[in-house]
Amino acid sequence: MTDTRLQRMAQVLIHYSLGMKKGERLAITTGPQAVPLVRETVREALRAGSFPETFFRIADIQEVVFKEASDEQLQYIPPYMRFIVEEYETMLQIMAAENTKALSGVNPERQAIAQQAGADLMQTNMRRTADGSLRWCAALFPTNAYAQDAGMSLSDFEDFVYHACFMDEDDPVARWQELSRQQERLVQWLNGKHTVRILGPDTDLTLSIAGRVFINGDGHYNFPDGEFFTGPVEDSANGYIRYTFPASFGGRAVEDVRLRFEDGVVVEARAARSQDYLDQMLSLDEGAKRLGEFAFGNNPNVTSFIKNTLFDEKIGGTIHLALGASYPMTGAVNQSALHWDMVCDLRQGGEIRVDGELFSKDGVFVV
């Protein structure tokens, strides 16, 4: 029997998050384990009069490609991927890993080659998102792999995921709209502000948001959502920050990352584990050493770290800063093949000051 929460999630993704319209094309990229959610999503997309198509990726094959392909083969972008990003009206990525450590044995240099090859496509994605010609959303289907990372049983993890997405509410859309209004008040307060100072354990970082726009993440870009983000002025970051949560990207986790910035550029990067991978990603291009995003986590139903950035960056009382490409809709202009979100927990001993005024303390907004 189909979990009714899956049906409800498909309805919200299609009608609220993506706002599907008759005649629009929908590309669904996912893994085989997500078939139950894909089935319901396709059903809802068809009812909306759109044209859904599904593209499956298999982790074992990705590992083979990274280990066996030539550099030229790693740089190859399949025509269907380019066509989707350049032409489709909507995209839905459903994460559904069978093994979150599948790429742990891959040489970081190999991953860097593939990441660089996709830089132009990433920029196209961000440009079309900014001008409204492409709508996309990233979601997750609960699997045993994610449950194990979170230290939960599969059933408990399913409850966690659906609770984070407000699927256990009588009216999930109304709940997302309520969160949107609360976040919009904070976004409006930040409008016109200039300087942000982040203070916490092993953290004292200053950056500028002058002239930049904060975007209200209310279930249209990520699912779950619950954040508001912008792009810092590219040469403004000065100071240091410590990410006590492991920073995950490309199937790898880098632990206890410490970064020091001068005039917007990372000049020192240390990690307790996977230093080589951190160094390789920072060396992708000039933009990889600069910040492309600064954001506040604000989902009240995500309270614990589960080693998955889609959820961890939404924890209320945290911030996340992404190295690499910025979103043009924020007014930021940093370009890179990288966009790596790293989460900093400020719930114990942290505070943020905006133009000298206390904005949050110990993870609680005080303005």
Short mmCIF file of all heavy atoms in Angstrom, two decimals, residues 158-220:
data_model
loop_
_atom_site.label_atom_id
_atom_site.label_comp_id
_atom_site.label_asym_id
_atom_site.label_seq_id
_atom_site.Cartn_x
_atom_site.Cartn_y
_atom_site.Cartn_z
N GLU A 158 11.89 8.04 7.98
CA GLU A 158 10.75 8.47 7.17
C GLU A 158 9.93 9.51 7.93
O GLU A 158 9.52 10.54 7.35
CB GLU A 158 9.89 7.26 6.81
CG GLU A 158 10.52 6.34 5.79
CD GLU A 158 9.73 5.05 5.59
OE1 GLU A 158 8.95 4.71 6.50
OE2 GLU A 158 9.90 4.40 4.55
N ASP A 159 9.68 9.25 9.21
CA ASP A 159 8.93 10.22 10.02
C ASP A 159 9.67 11.55 10.08
O ASP A 159 9.04 12.63 9.99
CB ASP A 159 8.73 9.68 11.44
CG ASP A 159 7.77 8.50 11.49
OD1 ASP A 159 7.02 8.30 10.52
OD2 ASP A 159 7.78 7.78 12.51
N PHE A 160 10.99 11.49 10.22
CA PHE A 160 11.80 12.72 10.29
C PHE A 160 11.68 13.52 8.99
O PHE A 160 11.47 14.74 9.02
CB PHE A 160 13.26 12.34 10.54
CG PHE A 160 14.22 13.50 10.46
CD1 PHE A 160 14.45 14.30 11.56
CD2 PHE A 160 14.91 13.78 9.29
CE1 PHE A 160 15.33 15.38 11.49
CE2 PHE A 160 15.79 14.84 9.20
CZ PHE A 160 16.00 15.65 10.31
N VAL A 161 11.80 12.85 7.84
CA VAL A 161 11.74 13.52 6.54
C VAL A 161 10.38 14.16 6.32
O VAL A 161 10.29 15.35 5.97
CB VAL A 161 12.05 12.52 5.41
CG1 VAL A 161 11.73 13.13 4.04
CG2 VAL A 161 13.51 12.10 5.46
N TYR A 162 9.32 13.41 6.54
CA TYR A 162 7.99 13.94 6.26
C TYR A 162 7.60 15.05 7.25
O TYR A 162 6.89 15.99 6.89
CB TYR A 162 6.96 12.81 6.27
CG TYR A 162 7.22 11.80 5.18
CD1 TYR A 162 7.25 10.43 5.44
CD2 TYR A 162 7.47 12.21 3.87
CE1 TYR A 162 7.50 9.51 4.44
CE2 TYR A 162 7.72 11.30 2.87
CZ TYR A 162 7.74 9.94 3.16
OH TYR A 162 8.00 9.04 2.16
N HIS A 163 8.12 14.95 8.48
CA HIS A 163 7.88 16.01 9.47
C HIS A 163 8.59 17.28 9.04
O HIS A 163 8.03 18.38 9.13
CB HIS A 163 8.36 15.55 10.84
CG HIS A 163 8.08 16.51 11.95
ND1 HIS A 163 6.82 16.96 12.25
CD2 HIS A 163 8.91 17.12 12.85
CE1 HIS A 163 6.86 17.80 13.28
NE2 HIS A 163 8.13 17.92 13.65
N ALA A 164 9.82 17.15 8.55
CA ALA A 164 10.59 18.31 8.09
C ALA A 164 9.93 19.00 6.90
O ALA A 164 10.07 20.21 6.70
CB ALA A 164 12.01 17.89 7.71
N CYS A 165 9.18 18.22 6.11
CA CYS A 165 8.50 18.76 4.92
C CYS A 165 7.06 19.17 5.21
O CYS A 165 6.32 19.54 4.29
CB CYS A 165 8.52 17.71 3.80
SG CYS A 165 10.17 17.29 3.20
N PHE A 166 6.64 19.08 6.49
CA PHE A 166 5.28 19.44 6.92
C PHE A 166 4.22 18.50 6.34
O PHE A 166 3.05 18.87 6.23
CB PHE A 166 4.93 20.89 6.57
CG PHE A 166 5.88 21.92 7.12
CD1 PHE A 166 6.12 23.10 6.44
CD2 PHE A 166 6.53 21.71 8.33
CE1 PHE A 166 6.99 24.06 6.96
CE2 PHE A 166 7.41 22.65 8.86
CZ PHE A 166 7.64 23.84 8.16
N MET A 167 4.64 17.29 5.96
CA MET A 167 3.68 16.35 5.39
C MET A 167 2.72 15.78 6.42
O MET A 167 1.70 15.18 6.07
CB MET A 167 4.43 15.20 4.70
CG MET A 167 5.15 15.57 3.42
SD MET A 167 4.02 16.22 2.15
CE MET A 167 4.30 17.99 2.29
N ASP A 168 3.04 15.94 7.71
CA ASP A 168 2.13 15.46 8.76
C ASP A 168 1.17 16.55 9.23
O ASP A 168 0.44 16.38 10.20
CB ASP A 168 2.91 14.88 9.94
CG ASP A 168 4.02 15.82 10.43
OD1 ASP A 168 4.13 16.95 9.90
OD2 ASP A 168 4.78 15.41 11.32
N GLU A 169 1.18 17.69 8.53
CA GLU A 169 0.24 18.77 8.82
C GLU A 169 -1.07 18.56 8.04
O GLU A 169 -1.07 17.94 6.97
CB GLU A 169 0.84 20.12 8.40
CG GLU A 169 2.14 20.47 9.11
CD GLU A 169 1.92 21.18 10.42
OE1 GLU A 169 0.75 21.54 10.69
OE2 GLU A 169 2.89 21.38 11.17
N ASP A 170 -2.17 19.09 8.56
CA ASP A 170 -3.44 18.98 7.86
C ASP A 170 -3.39 19.69 6.51
O ASP A 170 -3.97 19.23 5.52
CB ASP A 170 -4.59 19.57 8.71
CG ASP A 170 -4.88 18.72 9.94
OD1 ASP A 170 -4.56 17.51 9.90
OD2 ASP A 170 -5.41 19.28 10.91
N ASP A 171 -2.68 20.82 6.46
CA ASP A 171 -2.55 21.60 5.22
C ASP A 171 -1.09 22.01 5.06
O ASP A 171 -0.69 23.09 5.51
CB ASP A 171 -3.46 22.84 5.29
CG ASP A 171 -3.52 23.57 3.95
OD1 ASP A 171 -2.65 23.34 3.09
OD2 ASP A 171 -4.45 24.39 3.77
N PRO A 172 -0.28 21.16 4.42
CA PRO A 172 1.16 21.45 4.29
C PRO A 172 1.44 22.78 3.58
O PRO A 172 2.35 23.51 3.98
CB PRO A 172 1.69 20.27 3.47
CG PRO A 172 0.71 19.17 3.68
CD PRO A 172 -0.62 19.85 3.82
N VAL A 173 0.67 23.08 2.55
CA VAL A 173 0.92 24.32 1.81
C VAL A 173 0.70 25.54 2.70
O VAL A 173 1.48 26.49 2.69
CB VAL A 173 0.02 24.40 0.55
CG1 VAL A 173 0.11 25.78 -0.09
CG2 VAL A 173 0.43 23.32 -0.45
N ALA A 174 -0.35 25.51 3.50
CA ALA A 174 -0.61 26.62 4.42
C ALA A 174 0.53 26.77 5.41
O ALA A 174 0.90 27.90 5.79
CB ALA A 174 -1.93 26.39 5.15
N ARG A 175 1.10 25.65 5.82
CA ARG A 175 2.24 25.70 6.77
C ARG A 175 3.47 26.31 6.11
O ARG A 175 4.20 27.10 6.73
CB ARG A 175 2.54 24.29 7.27
CG ARG A 175 3.59 24.26 8.37
CD ARG A 175 3.10 24.94 9.63
NE ARG A 175 4.14 24.88 10.67
CZ ARG A 175 5.11 25.78 10.78
NH1 ARG A 175 5.16 26.80 9.95
NH2 ARG A 175 6.02 25.66 11.72
N TRP A 176 3.72 25.96 4.84
CA TRP A 176 4.84 26.57 4.11
C TRP A 176 4.61 28.06 3.92
O TRP A 176 5.53 28.87 4.01
CB TRP A 176 5.04 25.88 2.76
CG TRP A 176 5.77 24.57 2.87
CD1 TRP A 176 5.28 23.33 2.61
CD2 TRP A 176 7.12 24.39 3.31
NE1 TRP A 176 6.24 22.37 2.86
CE2 TRP A 176 7.36 23.00 3.29
CE3 TRP A 176 8.13 25.25 3.72
CZ2 TRP A 176 8.60 22.46 3.66
CZ3 TRP A 176 9.36 24.73 4.09
CH2 TRP A 176 9.58 23.35 4.06
N GLN A 177 3.39 28.45 3.66
CA GLN A 177 3.07 29.87 3.47
C GLN A 177 3.25 30.64 4.79
O GLN A 177 3.69 31.79 4.78
CB GLN A 177 1.65 30.02 2.93
CG GLN A 177 1.50 29.51 1.51
CD GLN A 177 0.07 29.42 1.04
OE1 GLN A 177 -0.85 29.30 1.86
NE2 GLN A 177 -0.16 29.47 -0.26
N GLU A 178 2.92 29.99 5.89
CA GLU A 178 3.13 30.62 7.21
C GLU A 178 4.61 30.86 7.46
O GLU A 178 5.02 31.94 7.91
CB GLU A 178 2.53 29.73 8.30
CG GLU A 178 2.74 30.26 9.71
CD GLU A 178 2.27 29.26 10.76
OE1 GLU A 178 1.51 28.34 10.42
OE2 GLU A 178 2.70 29.41 11.93
N LEU A 179 5.44 29.84 7.19
CA LEU A 179 6.89 29.99 7.35
C LEU A 179 7.43 31.07 6.42
O LEU A 179 8.31 31.85 6.78
CB LEU A 179 7.60 28.66 7.08
CG LEU A 179 9.12 28.67 7.27
CD1 LEU A 179 9.48 28.95 8.72
CD2 LEU A 179 9.74 27.37 6.80
N SER A 180 6.88 31.13 5.20
CA SER A 180 7.30 32.13 4.24
C SER A 180 7.07 33.54 4.77
O SER A 180 7.93 34.42 4.63
CB SER A 180 6.54 31.94 2.92
OG SER A 180 6.92 32.90 1.96
N ARG A 181 5.91 33.76 5.39
CA ARG A 181 5.61 35.09 5.92
C ARG A 181 6.57 35.46 7.06
O ARG A 181 7.02 36.61 7.17
CB ARG A 181 4.16 35.15 6.41
CG ARG A 181 3.13 35.13 5.28
CD ARG A 181 1.74 35.42 5.81
NE ARG A 181 1.23 34.36 6.67
CZ ARG A 181 0.56 33.29 6.24
NH1 ARG A 181 0.32 33.15 4.94
NH2 ARG A 181 0.12 32.39 7.09
N GLN A 182 6.87 34.49 7.91
CA GLN A 182 7.79 34.74 9.02
C GLN A 182 9.18 35.07 8.51
O GLN A 182 9.84 36.01 8.98
CB GLN A 182 7.83 33.51 9.94
CG GLN A 182 8.70 33.70 11.19
CD GLN A 182 10.01 32.93 11.12
OE1 GLN A 182 10.11 31.92 10.43
NE2 GLN A 182 11.00 33.42 11.82
N GLN A 183 9.64 34.35 7.50
CA GLN A 183 10.96 34.60 6.93
C GLN A 183 11.00 35.92 6.18
O GLN A 183 12.01 36.63 6.19
CB GLN A 183 11.37 33.45 6.00
CG GLN A 183 11.63 32.16 6.75
CD GLN A 183 12.16 31.04 5.87
OE1 GLN A 183 12.74 30.09 6.36
NE2 GLN A 183 11.96 31.13 4.57
N GLU A 184 9.89 36.27 5.53
CA GLU A 184 9.85 37.51 4.76
C GLU A 184 10.04 38.73 5.67
O GLU A 184 10.64 39.73 5.26
CB GLU A 184 8.54 37.60 3.99
CG GLU A 184 8.46 38.76 3.00
CD GLU A 184 9.53 38.69 1.93
OE1 GLU A 184 10.00 37.58 1.58
OE2 GLU A 184 9.91 39.77 1.42
N ARG A 185 9.53 38.65 6.89
CA ARG A 185 9.74 39.76 7.83
C ARG A 185 11.23 39.96 8.11
O ARG A 185 11.72 41.09 8.18
CB ARG A 185 8.97 39.50 9.13
CG ARG A 185 7.46 39.64 8.99
CD ARG A 185 6.77 39.69 10.35
NE ARG A 185 6.84 38.41 11.05
CZ ARG A 185 5.95 37.43 10.92
NH1 ARG A 185 4.92 37.58 10.10
NH2 ARG A 185 6.09 36.31 11.59
N LEU A 186 11.96 38.85 8.25
CA LEU A 186 13.40 38.92 8.49
C LEU A 186 14.13 39.40 7.24
O LEU A 186 15.08 40.18 7.33
CB LEU A 186 13.92 37.55 8.93
CG LEU A 186 13.37 37.06 10.29
CD1 LEU A 186 13.69 35.59 10.49
CD2 LEU A 186 13.94 37.90 11.42
N VAL A 187 13.69 38.94 6.09
CA VAL A 187 14.29 39.38 4.82
C VAL A 187 14.13 40.88 4.66
O VAL A 187 15.07 41.59 4.28
CB VAL A 187 13.65 38.63 3.63
CG1 VAL A 187 14.00 39.31 2.31
CG2 VAL A 187 14.10 37.17 3.62
N GLN A 188 12.93 41.39 4.96
CA GLN A 188 12.68 42.82 4.82
C GLN A 188 13.54 43.63 5.80
O GLN A 188 14.00 44.73 5.47
CB GLN A 188 11.19 43.13 5.04
CG GLN A 188 10.28 42.60 3.95
CD GLN A 188 10.64 43.15 2.57
OE1 GLN A 188 11.00 44.32 2.44
NE2 GLN A 188 10.56 42.31 1.55
N TRP A 189 13.76 43.08 7.00
CA TRP A 189 14.61 43.76 7.98
C TRP A 189 16.04 43.87 7.46
O TRP A 189 16.73 44.87 7.70
CB TRP A 189 14.58 43.01 9.30
CG TRP A 189 15.27 43.75 10.43
CD1 TRP A 189 14.69 44.60 11.32
CD2 TRP A 189 16.66 43.70 10.76
NE1 TRP A 189 15.64 45.09 12.18
CE2 TRP A 189 16.86 44.56 11.87
CE3 TRP A 189 17.76 43.03 10.24
CZ2 TRP A 189 18.10 44.76 12.46
CZ3 TRP A 189 19.02 43.22 10.82
CH2 TRP A 189 19.18 44.07 11.92
N LEU A 190 16.50 42.85 6.73
CA LEU A 190 17.87 42.82 6.23
C LEU A 190 18.08 43.70 5.00
O LEU A 190 19.22 44.05 4.67
CB LEU A 190 18.28 41.37 5.89
CG LEU A 190 18.49 40.45 7.10
CD1 LEU A 190 18.50 38.98 6.65
CD2 LEU A 190 19.78 40.78 7.82
N ASN A 191 17.00 44.04 4.32
CA ASN A 191 17.11 44.88 3.13
C ASN A 191 17.80 46.20 3.46
O ASN A 191 17.45 46.87 4.44
CB ASN A 191 15.72 45.18 2.54
CG ASN A 191 15.24 44.06 1.65
OD1 ASN A 191 16.00 43.18 1.25
ND2 ASN A 191 13.96 44.08 1.33
N GLY A 192 18.78 46.57 2.65
CA GLY A 192 19.47 47.85 2.84
C GLY A 192 20.60 47.81 3.84
O GLY A 192 21.29 48.81 4.05
N LYS A 193 20.78 46.66 4.50
CA LYS A 193 21.87 46.54 5.46
C LYS A 193 23.20 46.30 4.74
O LYS A 193 23.24 45.96 3.55
CB LYS A 193 21.59 45.40 6.44
CG LYS A 193 20.30 45.56 7.24
CD LYS A 193 20.30 46.83 8.10
CE LYS A 193 19.16 46.86 9.11
NZ LYS A 193 17.83 46.95 8.48
N HIS A 194 24.31 46.48 5.48
CA HIS A 194 25.62 46.44 4.84
C HIS A 194 26.56 45.36 5.37
O HIS A 194 27.04 44.52 4.61
CB HIS A 194 26.30 47.80 4.96
CG HIS A 194 25.60 48.89 4.22
ND1 HIS A 194 24.51 49.57 4.75
CD2 HIS A 194 25.82 49.42 2.99
CE1 HIS A 194 24.09 50.47 3.88
NE2 HIS A 194 24.86 50.40 2.81
N THR A 195 26.81 45.35 6.66
CA THR A 195 27.88 44.52 7.21
C THR A 195 27.35 43.46 8.16
O THR A 195 26.55 43.76 9.06
CB THR A 195 28.92 45.39 7.93
OG1 THR A 195 29.42 46.39 7.03
CG2 THR A 195 30.09 44.53 8.41
N VAL A 196 27.79 42.24 7.97
CA VAL A 196 27.43 41.13 8.84
C VAL A 196 28.68 40.64 9.55
O VAL A 196 29.73 40.43 8.91
CB VAL A 196 26.80 39.97 8.04
CG1 VAL A 196 26.55 38.76 8.95
CG2 VAL A 196 25.52 40.41 7.37
N ARG A 197 28.58 40.44 10.85
CA ARG A 197 29.68 39.84 11.61
C ARG A 197 29.18 38.57 12.28
O ARG A 197 28.16 38.60 12.99
CB ARG A 197 30.23 40.80 12.65
CG ARG A 197 31.51 40.26 13.33
CD ARG A 197 32.09 41.24 14.32
NE ARG A 197 33.34 40.71 14.90
CZ ARG A 197 33.99 41.28 15.91
NH1 ARG A 197 33.52 42.41 16.46
NH2 ARG A 197 35.10 40.73 16.39
N ILE A 198 29.86 37.47 12.04
CA ILE A 198 29.50 36.16 12.57
C ILE A 198 30.49 35.79 13.66
O ILE A 198 31.71 35.72 13.43
CB ILE A 198 29.53 35.08 11.46
CG1 ILE A 198 28.64 35.50 10.29
CG2 ILE A 198 29.11 33.72 12.00
CD1 ILE A 198 28.93 34.75 9.00
N LEU A 199 29.98 35.57 14.88
CA LEU A 199 30.83 35.24 16.02
C LEU A 199 30.39 33.91 16.62
O LEU A 199 29.19 33.65 16.77
CB LEU A 199 30.73 36.33 17.08
CG LEU A 199 31.27 37.72 16.69
CD1 LEU A 199 30.75 38.78 17.64
CD2 LEU A 199 32.78 37.71 16.66
N GLY A 200 31.36 33.06 16.97
CA GLY A 200 31.05 31.78 17.57
C GLY A 200 32.34 31.08 17.95
O GLY A 200 33.43 31.64 17.80
N PRO A 201 32.24 29.85 18.42
CA PRO A 201 33.45 29.10 18.77
C PRO A 201 34.40 29.00 17.57
O PRO A 201 34.02 28.52 16.51
CB PRO A 201 32.90 27.73 19.16
CG PRO A 201 31.50 28.00 19.62
CD PRO A 201 31.02 29.11 18.73
N ASP A 202 35.62 29.48 17.71
CA ASP A 202 36.63 29.47 16.65
C ASP A 202 36.13 30.17 15.39
O ASP A 202 36.55 29.83 14.28
CB ASP A 202 37.05 28.02 16.31
CG ASP A 202 37.62 27.30 17.51
OD1 ASP A 202 38.50 27.88 18.17
OD2 ASP A 202 37.18 26.17 17.79
N THR A 203 35.26 31.15 15.56
CA THR A 203 34.66 31.85 14.41
C THR A 203 34.56 33.35 14.68
O THR A 203 34.01 33.76 15.71
CB THR A 203 33.26 31.29 14.11
OG1 THR A 203 33.36 29.92 13.73
CG2 THR A 203 32.59 32.08 12.99
N ASP A 204 35.10 34.12 13.77
CA ASP A 204 34.93 35.58 13.77
C ASP A 204 35.10 36.02 12.32
O ASP A 204 36.21 36.25 11.85
CB ASP A 204 35.97 36.26 14.67
CG ASP A 204 35.72 37.76 14.83
OD1 ASP A 204 34.87 38.30 14.08
OD2 ASP A 204 36.36 38.39 15.69
N LEU A 205 33.99 36.13 11.62
CA LEU A 205 34.01 36.41 10.19
C LEU A 205 33.12 37.60 9.87
O LEU A 205 31.98 37.66 10.32
CB LEU A 205 33.53 35.18 9.41
CG LEU A 205 33.55 35.26 7.87
CD1 LEU A 205 34.98 35.34 7.36
CD2 LEU A 205 32.82 34.07 7.25
N THR A 206 33.65 38.53 9.10
CA THR A 206 32.89 39.70 8.67
C THR A 206 32.73 39.66 7.16
O THR A 206 33.66 39.31 6.43
CB THR A 206 33.61 40.99 9.07
OG1 THR A 206 33.78 41.01 10.50
CG2 THR A 206 32.80 42.21 8.66
N LEU A 207 31.54 40.02 6.68
CA LEU A 207 31.29 40.08 5.24
C LEU A 207 30.27 41.16 4.94
O LEU A 207 29.55 41.62 5.83
CB LEU A 207 30.83 38.71 4.70
CG LEU A 207 29.63 38.03 5.37
CD1 LEU A 207 28.32 38.51 4.78
CD2 LEU A 207 29.74 36.51 5.24
N SER A 208 30.20 41.55 3.67
CA SER A 208 29.28 42.61 3.26
C SER A 208 28.11 42.04 2.46
O SER A 208 28.29 41.15 1.62
CB SER A 208 30.01 43.65 2.42
OG SER A 208 29.10 44.60 1.89
N ILE A 209 26.91 42.58 2.74
CA ILE A 209 25.71 42.23 1.97
C ILE A 209 25.15 43.49 1.29
O ILE A 209 24.00 43.49 0.85
CB ILE A 209 24.63 41.57 2.85
CG1 ILE A 209 24.28 42.48 4.04
CG2 ILE A 209 25.10 40.20 3.35
CD1 ILE A 209 23.09 42.00 4.85
N ALA A 210 25.99 44.51 1.20
CA ALA A 210 25.54 45.79 0.63
C ALA A 210 25.06 45.61 -0.81
O ALA A 210 25.77 45.06 -1.65
CB ALA A 210 26.67 46.81 0.68
N GLY A 211 23.85 46.05 -1.08
CA GLY A 211 23.31 45.98 -2.43
C GLY A 211 22.83 44.60 -2.85
O GLY A 211 22.39 44.42 -3.99
N ARG A 212 22.88 43.65 -1.96
CA ARG A 212 22.49 42.28 -2.29
C ARG A 212 21.05 41.99 -1.83
O ARG A 212 20.54 42.63 -0.91
CB ARG A 212 23.47 41.27 -1.67
CG ARG A 212 24.90 41.45 -2.21
CD ARG A 212 24.93 41.23 -3.71
NE ARG A 212 26.08 41.80 -4.39
CZ ARG A 212 27.25 41.18 -4.57
NH1 ARG A 212 27.45 39.99 -4.04
NH2 ARG A 212 28.20 41.75 -5.27
N VAL A 213 20.44 41.00 -2.48
CA VAL A 213 19.04 40.65 -2.22
C VAL A 213 18.99 39.32 -1.48
O VAL A 213 19.66 38.35 -1.86
CB VAL A 213 18.26 40.53 -3.56
CG1 VAL A 213 16.83 40.07 -3.30
CG2 VAL A 213 18.29 41.85 -4.31
N PHE A 214 18.17 39.26 -0.42
CA PHE A 214 17.93 37.99 0.27
C PHE A 214 16.73 37.29 -0.37
O PHE A 214 15.70 37.92 -0.64
CB PHE A 214 17.67 38.21 1.76
CG PHE A 214 18.91 38.20 2.59
CD1 PHE A 214 19.64 39.37 2.78
CD2 PHE A 214 19.38 37.02 3.16
CE1 PHE A 214 20.79 39.38 3.54
CE2 PHE A 214 20.53 37.02 3.94
CZ PHE A 214 21.25 38.20 4.12
N ILE A 215 16.87 35.99 -0.62
CA ILE A 215 15.81 35.17 -1.22
C ILE A 215 15.15 34.33 -0.14
O ILE A 215 15.84 33.69 0.67
CB ILE A 215 16.37 34.27 -2.33
CG1 ILE A 215 17.12 35.09 -3.38
CG2 ILE A 215 15.26 33.45 -2.97
CD1 ILE A 215 16.29 36.12 -4.11
N ASN A 216 13.84 34.31 -0.15
CA ASN A 216 13.05 33.57 0.84
C ASN A 216 12.85 32.13 0.36
O ASN A 216 12.07 31.87 -0.56
CB ASN A 216 11.70 34.28 1.02
CG ASN A 216 10.85 33.70 2.13
OD1 ASN A 216 11.09 32.59 2.60
ND2 ASN A 216 9.84 34.45 2.54
N GLY A 217 13.56 31.18 0.98
CA GLY A 217 13.43 29.76 0.62
C GLY A 217 12.28 29.13 1.36
O GLY A 217 12.42 28.73 2.53
N ASP A 218 11.12 29.02 0.70
CA ASP A 218 9.90 28.59 1.37
C ASP A 218 9.25 27.36 0.74
O ASP A 218 8.03 27.23 0.71
CB ASP A 218 8.90 29.75 1.41
CG ASP A 218 8.61 30.31 0.01
OD1 ASP A 218 9.13 29.76 -0.99
OD2 ASP A 218 7.87 31.31 -0.08
N GLY A 219 10.06 26.45 0.23
CA GLY A 219 9.53 25.22 -0.32
C GLY A 219 9.49 25.18 -1.83
O GLY A 219 8.98 24.21 -2.40
N HIS A 220 9.99 26.21 -2.49
CA HIS A 220 9.99 26.23 -3.95
C HIS A 220 11.31 25.78 -4.56
O HIS A 220 11.35 25.33 -5.70
CB HIS A 220 9.65 27.64 -4.45
CG HIS A 220 8.23 28.03 -4.21
ND1 HIS A 220 7.82 28.72 -3.10
CD2 HIS A 220 7.12 27.82 -4.95
CE1 HIS A 220 6.51 28.91 -3.15
NE2 HIS A 220 6.06 28.38 -4.27
#
